[in-house]
Amino acid sequence: MLEIAPSILSADFANLGADIKTVEQEGIKYLHIDVMDGKFVPSISFGMPIITSIRKNTDMIFDVHLMIEEPERYIGEFAKCGADIITVHAEACLHLDRVIEQIKECGCKAAVALNPATPLSAVEYVLDKLDMVLIMSVNPGFGGQKYIPYATEKIKALKSMIAERNLATLIEVDGGVNASNVQEITDAGVDIAVMGSAVFNGEIKENVEKIYKIIK
Ligand code: DX5
Ligand code: ZN
């Protein structure tokens, strides 16, 4: 069954602990944490202190999405403050293979994110080292954007690549996913769907139950 990973970028930061509790009580296992540096992407979001604080109050799987330049500088710190999965962008790493090894040496699961226009060939030689590939279905930097339709073809192609090699690598999709397209995306072979605005805009419980009705 499809897993949902609510992105806290769209949560109410004045009540972040409560918002996280609400999604956790809905049985959601993953929490998507969007770290943005204002350079790799046009926005600045938050960093280690926030992750350290929320780590104390939940056992959810922290799916940390680093939208930062030269992420190798901070892998150890994000591991220390509680990341379970660390995702780096292929476009932000000069030495991607080395960064993947670094993430695994820190005891975290390793994932690589691909921007919409970046071909799957960017992960071709490291796919068997990856616990997950994150397919961006929006241009990174903001919540609440529209899903880019060609991401679905990319998901299907990645699914075949993983199947051909008999790997257990998960596929996560990120950006513009909501009740109206989540079934199509699930059918394409996604394992985890990041949802920010679709979960946190308005009534969280209601939003989650609406999505569960579609995917369960
Ligand atoms: C965008 C982030 C996404 C975003 C998802 O750069 O990586 O995780 O917060 O938000 P929605 O689901 O609203 O597109
Ligand atoms: Zn993200």
Side-chain angles (χ1 to χ4, degrees):
M1 192 193 96
L2 181 81
E3 296 288 355
I4 302 171
S7 162
I8 60 169
L9 187 71
S10 301
D12 172 5
F13 275 58
N15 292 296
L16 187 53
D19 279 5
I20 293 171
K21 204 97 229 101
T22 306
V23 292
E24 189 171 24
Q25 282 162 352
E26 288 298 307
I28 289 178
K29 296 209 271 298
Y30 290 84
L31 196 69
H32 189 77
I33 299 171
D34 283 315
V35 179
M36 299 178 175
D37 66 357
K39 199 147 172 349
F40 181 71
V41 289
S43 319
I44 296 177
S45 59
F46 44 74
M48 291 67 110
I50 291 271
I51 299 173
T52 304
S53 316
I54 62 176
R55 179 74 281 176
K56 295 195 290 286
N57 309 327
T58 175
D59 297 330
M60 293 179 87
I61 299 166
F62 278 14
D63 168 30
V64 176
H65 179 190
L66 297 183
M67 285 162 277
I68 66 174
E69 294 285 345
E70 299 162 45
E72 61 277 11
R73 296 169 295 157
Y74 298 107
I75 301 296
E77 289 195 49
F78 280 106
K80 230 170 35 226
C81 62
D84 295 295
I85 304 169
I86 296 181
T87 303
V88 293
H89 269 263
E91 306 89 353
C93 299
L94 220 50
H95 306 288
L96 183 59
D97 185 287
R98 183 180 289 149
V99 182
I100 294 167
E101 294 302 341
Q102 191 186 358
I103 296 170
K104 296 166 95 116
E105 276 149 30
C106 289
C108 292
K109 289 195 180 305
V112 171
L114 300 176
N115 282 337
T118 304
L120 292 175
S121 56
V123 291
E124 190 172 346
Y125 293 101
V126 291
L127 190 59
D128 52 349
K129 296 182 175 202
L130 294 177
D131 298 289
M132 182 169 84
V133 175
L134 194 166
I135 299 289
M136 289 306 297
S137 38
V138 293
N139 291 298
F142 309 92
Q145 300 182 86
K146 254 179 91 31
Y147 181 84
I148 295 176
Y150 65 71
T152 306
E153 283 320 303
K154 206 167 163 184
I155 292 163
K156 286 179 187 163
L158 177 58
K159 192 76 182 173
S160 333
M161 239 168 124
I162 291 168
E164 264 151 47
R165 301 186 199 187
N166 214 4
L167 297 172
T169 313
L170 297 176
I171 301 177
E172 183 174 56
V173 65
D174 188 7
V177 181
N178 54 46
S180 68
N181 58 21
V182 69
Q183 189 54 57
E184 165 213 340
I185 290 162
T186 308
D187 296 345
V190 163
D191 299 290
I192 306 171
V194 175
M195 294 190 197
S197 44
V199 168
F200 288 114
N201 286 6
E203 275 305 308
I204 300 172
K205 238 169 105 55
E206 233 172 79
N207 292 339
V208 173
E209 275 151 25
K210 186 173 147 198
I211 294 157
Y212 270 160
K213 272 204 193 84
I214 297 164
I215 60 176
K216 277 210 156 149

